[in-house]
Amino acid sequence: MSTITIGFIGLGLIGGSIAKSLKKFHPDCRILAYSATEATLQLALSEHIIDEALTKQDERFGTCDYIFLCAPVSTNIEYLPFLKDTIRPDCIVTDVGSVKGEIHEAVTAAGLDTNFIGGHPMAGSEKTGLKNATDYLIENAYYIITPGGEIDVLKLGNFLELIQSIGAIPMVLTHEEHDYITAAVSHLPHIVAASLVNLVHNLDTPDEHMRTVAAGGFKDITRIASSSPDMWQPICLENRAQISRVLDEFIRLLVQARCWVDQGEGTDIYHMFETARDYRDALPDSSGGPLKKRYEIYCDIYDEAGGIATIATLLAMNNISIKNIGITHNREFGEGVLRIEFYDKNACDHAERALMERNYTLHKR
């Protein structure tokens, strides 16, 4: 691929990771960026992530072959009139937002349909900001592409090649399909998790026995309820129609389940759990997707002083970083009492080998 110039508006975790990936796989590419935070630009320059720091409405954006909008949706939309007057006719403008309908409507209103290709890398982290960006965050992750109806096929093909060249797996959908799919597999689960936690909070006894017992499987299935309200409130507002659509079906299934329980329909209840189990077990074991995969193992240990310290020391001696570690008192799944979580698959696999070599009994979920 010949030398290209790529602009970024916003340089946080996702924007920074894409920029780092571009430098990794295309070291000759020229990257220009603007961030509302001056310290972010200085960090990007010092680490050679970008070649030039730009001002808010910099005419040098007009030299770009591609421009990635990586700011909040409202900020991205505000930039569209400026870009309409600044970019070259063959420049591709793209974004990384998790809801596509609003940005596509704004692009059409701004007259940029022939230049815009929506994008959503299905990757992320609980950490934010450029300081946590990596050149591998989007590798082997699905990168959903939502081209507008007027985009040139050759431009689309070139953009797909660019995304594929930095290790991601492009998937082309309409923006309506994207918002419907993510409403079901990402947005609804966050609403359900938050609702389940609030349910237990509201029903709990004065001595909080529910809260105590919830340390087991309940905490596992509701972990995404710990996500940032600052992030999920606007997502729910931006994707209202599709979330409402999938909520209707979810509510119907809940009402159906209640009827089966009320009427003692054992066969239907069994089938509900059976079909759910079979479908879930058939899901690919991949880190790609809107809900971040957890890398964890459960380890049987004796209830004695120093047991956890011994395991932590063993892992440290093998240069394995632990994200979280703790005792699991609720063993409803028959798994070990010590739960250890890691930052990535390599660390999890390395820890599994190290512990098994010392004859520890391990369980993986």
Side-chain angles (χ1 to χ4, degrees):
M1 184 178 291
S2 58
T3 300
I4 55 176
T5 300
I6 302 175
F8 283 82
I9 295 172
L11 209 59
L13 175 71
I14 299 298
S17 294
I18 294 173
K20 284 188 172 185
S21 297
L22 287 165
K23 279 296 186 182
K24 175 182 178 180
F25 291 101
H26 304 284
D28 294 332
C29 74
R30 180 167 163 258
I31 296 184
L32 319 178
Y34 166 73
S35 171
T37 306
E38 180 63 26
T40 297
L41 291 176
Q42 294 307 314
L43 176 62
L45 286 169
S46 66
E47 294 189 357
H48 306 290
I49 302 170
I50 66 174
D51 299 289
E52 295 181 47
L54 305 189
T55 56
K56 185 174 183 179
Q57 294 192 348
D58 201 305
E59 292 300 319
R60 284 173 288 180
F61 279 119
T63 67
C64 293
D65 299 290
Y66 297 94
I67 295 176
F68 284 81
L69 301 174
C70 304
V73 173
S74 59
T75 302
N76 292 339
I77 290 174
E78 289 173 3
Y79 258 95
L80 296 179
F82 162 74
L83 294 175
K84 172 66 175 176
D85 295 334
T86 305
I87 62 173
R88 301 188 332 222
D90 60 346
C91 176
I92 289 297
V93 178
T94 186
D95 77 322
V96 298
S98 59
V99 179
K100 312 313 304 176
E102 188 175 0
I103 187 70
H104 274 274
E105 290 175 5
V107 163
T108 298
L112 281 168
D113 277 328
T114 58
N115 299 93
F116 184 77
I117 300 175
H120 180 199
M122 309 293 272
S125 169
E126 63 279 357
K127 299 180 180 180
T128 60
L130 179 64
K131 63 182 180 297
N132 294 304
T134 69
D135 61 8
Y136 55 82
L137 182 69
I138 64 172
E139 282 192 32
N140 299 315
Y142 286 110
Y143 197 121
I144 297 183
I145 309 296
T146 59
E150 298 182 26
I151 198 70
D152 180 78
V153 174
L154 180 59
K155 289 182 179 180
L156 175 60
N158 290 337
F159 184 67
L160 291 173
E161 287 183 11
L162 179 67
I163 295 304
Q164 198 166 23
S165 74
I166 57 177
I169 305 169
M171 177 187 292
V172 179
L173 301 172
T174 66
H175 67 82
E176 295 91 350
E177 288 174 325
H178 168 277
D179 287 354
Y180 179 52
I181 290 169
T182 54
V185 302
S186 177
H187 307 165
L188 177 65
H190 281 82
I191 293 173
V192 171
S195 299
L196 281 173
V197 172
N198 288 332
L199 172 70
V200 169
H201 175 267
N202 294 341
L203 297 181
D204 206 356
T205 57
D207 45 16
E208 296 189 328
H209 283 161
M210 286 188 183
R211 177 174 180 166
T212 301
V213 175
F218 182 85
K219 189 171 182 180
D220 286 339
I221 66 172
T222 59
R223 66 181 177 84
I224 56 175
S226 296
S227 299
S228 168
D230 293 328
M231 174 182 177
W232 282 98
Q233 182 218 42
I235 286 176
C236 288
L237 295 177
E238 291 161 14
N239 202 25
R240 295 193 301 274
Q242 299 295 358
I243 291 174
S244 180
R245 180 181 173 188
V246 298
L247 267 172
D248 281 343
E249 177 61 13
F250 181 66
I251 292 168
R252 185 190 70 81
L253 291 174
L254 285 179
V255 172
Q256 185 178 66
R258 185 184 66 182
C259 290
W260 289 337
V261 171
D262 288 346
Q263 297 170 14
E265 298 289 349
T267 300
D268 290 322
I269 294 171
Y270 182 92
H271 182 65
M272 174 183 69
F273 287 114
E274 181 183 43
T275 54
R277 178 202 63 193
D278 292 346
Y279 186 81
R280 186 188 184 281
D281 289 350
L283 295 176
D285 185 18
S286 169
S287 61
L291 302 182
K292 187 173 177 61
K293 181 179 175 65
R294 293 176 75 172
Y295 301 100
E296 58 189 6
I297 55 179
Y298 290 76
C299 178
D300 283 330
I301 61 171
Y302 290 110
D303 185 10
E304 59 185 12
I308 296 178
T310 299
I311 289 178
T313 300
L314 173 61
L315 297 178
M317 291 172 61
N318 283 272
N319 295 316
I320 301 170
S321 296
I322 298 173
K323 181 178 180 180
N324 200 0
I325 187 170
I327 296 291
T328 299
H329 295 286
N330 186 324
R331 301 182 63 178
E332 60 188 278
F333 299 108
E335 293 167 333
V337 70
L338 183 68
R339 174 184 167 275
I340 314 170
E341 185 179 358
F342 305 91
Y343 287 99
D344 54 48
K345 183 178 186 300
N346 288 337
C348 188
D349 291 344
H350 189 187
E352 184 178 5
R353 291 191 298 269
L355 291 169
M356 290 182 69
E357 287 175 359
R358 297 298 184 94
N359 296 317
Y360 283 97
T361 300
L362 303 182
H363 310 268
K364 292 182 71 175
R365 176 171 288 163

